[in-house]
Amino acid sequence: MMRSAAGIECTVDGQTARRQQVHHRKRRGGAGVYLAAGLAVWASSVVPQGLAAPVQDVSSSVYAPIDPQRMSDVMRVLASDAFEGRAPGTQGEERTVAWLIEQYQKIGLEPAGENGGWIQTVPLLRTRVGKPSVAKVSFPNQTLPLQQNKDLYFSTVRPVKQIEIANVPMVFVGYGVHAPERGWDDFKGVDLKGKIAVFLINDPDFEATQQDAAYGRFAGRAMTYYGRWTYKYEEAARRGAIGALIVHDTPGASYGWQTVIAAGGESFDIVRNGKDQTVLMQGWISGDAATRLFSAAGLDLAEERVKARQTSFAPVTLKNAAFSLKAPVQTANLKSQNVLAKITGTKKPDQSVMFGAHWDAFGTSTNAQGQMVMRRGAIDDGSGIAGVLEIARAFKAGPAPERTVVFAAWTAEERGLLGSVWYAAHPLVSLEKTAANFTMDVLQMAGPSRTAFMVGAGQNTVQEDVAAAARRQGRTMKPEAMPERGAFYRADHLPFARAGVPVVAMMDMAGYPDLLKGGVPAGKAWLEGYMACYHQACDAWSPTWDVRGAAEDVALLYRVGHDLAFSQKWPHWKETSEFAGIRDASRAMRRD
């Protein structure tokens, strides 16, 4: 089981002697990105446009050899119109993959994909639901209509032509958690076959008080995997439900309704066999619509939330509620691509260190106002891809590593970590002999910071190595400040953790940075501003960014990964980690 984030032993006194007040010369730049006619490789020779001029400065030695300007250029290119929001299975993917391969080649990396190439094919099912002709909950004396994107957001990841659900019962299952090791079972043997399961988001102790049985049982405010929407859909499917709806609330989900509907009815999944079936319909119901629904069934949603925090909770059938939904579905089987490169180790080529980020974003879709928008993903996760490329350049500029270093750009992270899930199930290097996976996802653009944050802190020893590297930068590594967001379960490092590989995820949405310019208040303003753009069209490149803060974080991972690439060390999971047993089972494979 996951430890509380407070368990990490890495907080140190901040040292700011490295910081200097110096005169900053603003860089000057020229023309922007242009499209080479007839080619799928875009913006391969961008001209720097310059970074914002900060009031305070920091020695470049803190983030060397990472170049903030090049990182900014990469994000500008990937977020440009030419890449169309980088959705899997689109022309935007073709252009993104071609551009990434070109960058790998320019750096001088080797292909690390299938059959000696640069890519690993990831077979995906893509679905898109159309406008429903029926969407309602019927009661004997009234009908509650449910409007897609307003009251309801539904999708499917089954290869069907139509969702058709007629007058089926609805069962409220509380948080929908079955955790025997924590003495918790929300289901109590309820029969969900052919029914709609209605869940609360997050863990049973998310809102718990000391009077509630759930208090402290699920790591407090730190979300466990039981709190993730993915777990709830999986549990509904395991129990035979035809559909699953999660009641949305912004604190519990850690994002607003706009983020819920960002995918525009489109969903992706890896191609599954018949034994691994998903629910026919999965989605969210808005808090207001859920309140009306429960009231029509003679229940008070607020009271039911309190009951759901007790071990005595038992599922509640929404009295006389009959759910109906009929909507067309477009389906397509497609082949998406992970883009992989490497530098082969000189002494231990069968051992590896891996750096990764996801190349995909949300493409174009309709927002809540019915407008077509492009969700560019400049920071999520253009920033991570920029970090991977910078780390690759740094490795290539120095002596060849003793262990193989792998550089990965994953597909379909925004659709459920699908590219990294596929790779972890079909690895091209031995995961048992992968010393560590370093993942970058959402880096901050507000400038140098006195702090950094570790998601899932206290899980393994490589996290402690990163904390020590932060100390050498003169920075303080802290556990994530908002563990209720469940960041450890929301990025591409997770499939590798599940395979036993020690992981570190650098995610700057994990806390308010203590910025050199403006301190924590300025860091809070940056993060709150970014979260308003999370998965939205406004996650776009800006010339006002100070990318040096992101570069500092990338440099942390580079330095720790570099040490591992030139060593015989094997980081390990702490005994209290849920992943320790998986790694221990393959210990014999790591004996020289």
Side-chain angles (χ1 to χ4, degrees):
M1 276 63 67
M2 182 179 174
R3 286 184 61 191
S4 167
I8 193 168
E9 301 172 357
C10 62
T11 302
V12 298
D13 292 334
Q15 299 293 323
T16 57
R18 68 191 179 95
R19 316 280 181 182
Q20 305 173 48
Q21 294 283 348
V22 300
H23 179 68
H24 179 83
R25 298 182 198 172
K26 184 175 181 180
R27 300 188 184 194
R28 300 179 183 271
V33 180
Y34 67 92
L35 174 62
L39 296 177
V41 178
W42 301 79
S44 59
S45 57
V46 294
V47 179
Q49 291 187 340
L51 303 178
V55 173
Q56 293 177 295
D57 214 334
V58 58
S59 169
S60 62
S61 64
V62 175
Y63 49 80
I66 307 304
D67 187 331
Q69 181 62 63
R70 281 198 302 252
M71 288 186 65
S72 182
D73 291 340
V74 168
M75 289 181 278
R76 177 163 52 89
V77 171
L78 291 175
S80 66
D81 288 352
F83 291 83
E84 301 178 351
R86 308 193 307 278
T90 67
Q91 189 175 55
E93 169 170 358
E94 294 178 10
R95 295 169 178 171
T96 302
V97 169
W99 187 83
L100 287 169
I101 291 172
E102 183 186 38
Q103 304 316 301
Y104 286 164
Q105 290 172 327
K106 285 183 174 181
I107 293 169
L109 304 178
E110 307 161 50
E114 296 166 325
N115 303 314
W118 297 99
I119 66 171
Q120 179 188 43
T121 300
V122 181
L124 297 178
L125 170 70
R126 180 177 63 195
T127 63
R128 185 186 291 276
V129 297
K131 184 177 180 179
S133 57
V134 178
K136 64 182 181 179
V137 181
S138 302
F139 294 89
N141 299 317
Q142 63 175 311
T143 298
L144 294 180
L146 299 173
Q147 182 178 336
Q148 173 77 322
N149 291 343
K150 179 183 177 183
D151 308 304
L152 179 75
Y153 179 78
F154 69 90
S155 62
T156 187
V157 286
R158 280 198 195 176
V160 296
K161 294 182 178 180
Q162 182 169 266
I163 298 174
E164 188 164 6
I165 301 173
N167 298 314
V168 304
M170 305 183 77
V171 182
F172 174 58
V173 294
Y175 290 89
V177 172
H178 177 66
E181 78 284 358
R182 298 173 192 250
W184 200 270
D185 179 21
D186 282 329
F187 295 99
K188 306 293 195 302
V190 66
D191 181 10
L192 291 178
K193 292 180 180 178
K195 301 174 183 178
I196 303 295
V198 181
F199 296 82
L200 298 174
I201 190 59
N202 218 299
D203 293 308
D205 64 354
F206 177 68
E207 297 180 306
T209 66
Q210 292 185 11
Q211 288 70 45
D212 296 318
Y215 186 76
R217 199 174 293 218
F218 292 84
R221 297 285 287 183
M223 183 188 287
T224 69
Y225 189 63
Y226 295 117
R228 292 284 290 137
W229 56 266
T230 49
Y231 167 79
K232 298 176 193 297
Y233 293 159
E234 291 164 2
E235 196 65 31
R238 281 190 286 266
R239 295 173 184 273
I242 195 171
L245 288 175
I246 300 172
V247 177
H248 177 263
D249 67 81
T250 297
S254 82
Y255 42 75
W257 187 251
Q258 282 286 100
T259 298
V260 169
I261 68 174
E266 184 180 61
S267 293
F268 290 79
D269 198 8
I270 58 174
V271 175
R272 299 177 181 270
N273 57 42
K275 296 179 181 180
D276 189 18
Q277 192 66 274
T278 61
V279 291
L280 176 61
M281 183 277 300
Q282 60 189 36
W284 298 72
I285 183 168
S286 73
D288 288 343
T291 298
R292 296 194 301 271
L293 169 64
F294 276 63
S295 179
L299 299 170
D300 184 308
L301 178 56
E303 292 180 0
E304 295 303 314
R305 285 181 179 274
V306 176
K307 293 178 182 177
R309 302 198 290 264
Q310 317 308 322
T311 53
S312 59
F313 172 81
V316 180
T317 298
L318 301 186
K319 188 176 180 180
N320 296 321
F323 180 88
S324 298
L325 178 67
K326 186 174 182 179
V329 181
Q330 296 177 351
T331 65
N333 288 98
L334 56 93
K335 297 183 185 299
S336 193
Q337 298 162 102
N338 292 326
V339 192
L340 302 159
K342 66 182 178 181
I343 301 174
T344 300
T346 57
K347 294 183 178 180
K348 299 175 184 290
D350 61 328
Q351 300 177 12
S352 65
V353 177
M354 178 179 288
F355 297 90
H358 68 91
W359 61 255
D360 67 302
F362 278 104
T364 57
S365 61
T366 303
N367 65 11
Q369 291 72 44
Q371 303 165 323
M372 187 62 69
V373 296
M374 184 182 296
R375 305 182 196 273
R376 301 172 181 273
I379 294 176
D380 185 11
D381 189 26
S383 64
I385 293 295
V388 170
L389 293 176
E390 277 301 287
I391 291 172
R393 286 190 185 94
F395 267 102
K396 192 62 182 175
E402 296 177 6
R403 286 169 161 164
T404 296
V405 182
V406 178
F407 307 97
W410 309 115
T411 183
E413 189 271 355
E414 301 292 8
R415 272 65 180 190
L417 319 183
L418 301 182
S420 55
V421 164
W422 184 264
Y423 184 94
H426 306 84
L428 299 178
V429 297
S430 168
L431 297 186
E432 292 82 5
K433 293 186 178 182
T434 299
N437 168 280
F438 298 92
T439 290
M440 290 159 279
D441 197 344
V442 179
L443 304 178
Q444 63 96 346
M445 301 295 143
S449 172
R450 300 177 181 91
T451 53
F453 294 88
M454 182 67 69
V455 299
Q459 289 265 15
N460 60 58
T461 58
V462 73
Q463 293 174 328
E464 295 174 350
D465 295 337
V466 173
R471 182 174 65 248
R472 290 190 292 271
Q473 285 184 324
R475 303 170 70 202
T476 301
M477 178 67 71
K478 295 184 175 183
E480 60 188 305
M482 291 164 275
E484 65 273 15
R485 290 180 173 173
F488 191 79
Y489 301 96
R490 290 170 58 175
D492 282 317
H493 61 283
L494 181 61
F496 296 95
R498 287 178 165 174
V501 179
V503 299
V504 170
M506 187 58 69
M507 304 175 72
D508 286 341
M509 59 197 298
Y512 302 135
D514 183 3
L515 298 175
L516 205 64
K517 179 185 176 183
V520 174
K524 181 178 181 181
W526 178 83
L527 183 56
E528 289 181 345
Y530 171 71
M531 290 307 297
C533 286
Y534 182 56
H535 291 177
Q536 304 304 311
C538 52
D539 183 4
W541 178 83
S542 171
T544 66
W545 286 345
D546 185 347
V547 187
R548 295 174 304 161
E552 288 181 326
D553 290 344
V554 174
L556 283 177
L557 302 191
Y558 165 69
R559 289 165 187 166
V560 175
H562 185 274
D563 288 346
L564 285 176
F566 285 86
S567 79
Q568 300 180 34
K569 294 189 298 184
W570 292 107
H572 62 269
W573 295 94
K574 300 296 184 68
E575 292 182 0
T576 50
S577 172
E578 61 205 277
F579 307 110
I582 303 169
R583 189 65 163 181
D584 287 345
S586 63
R587 181 178 298 177
M589 296 182 65
R590 291 183 293 279
R591 293 175 182 162
D592 292 328

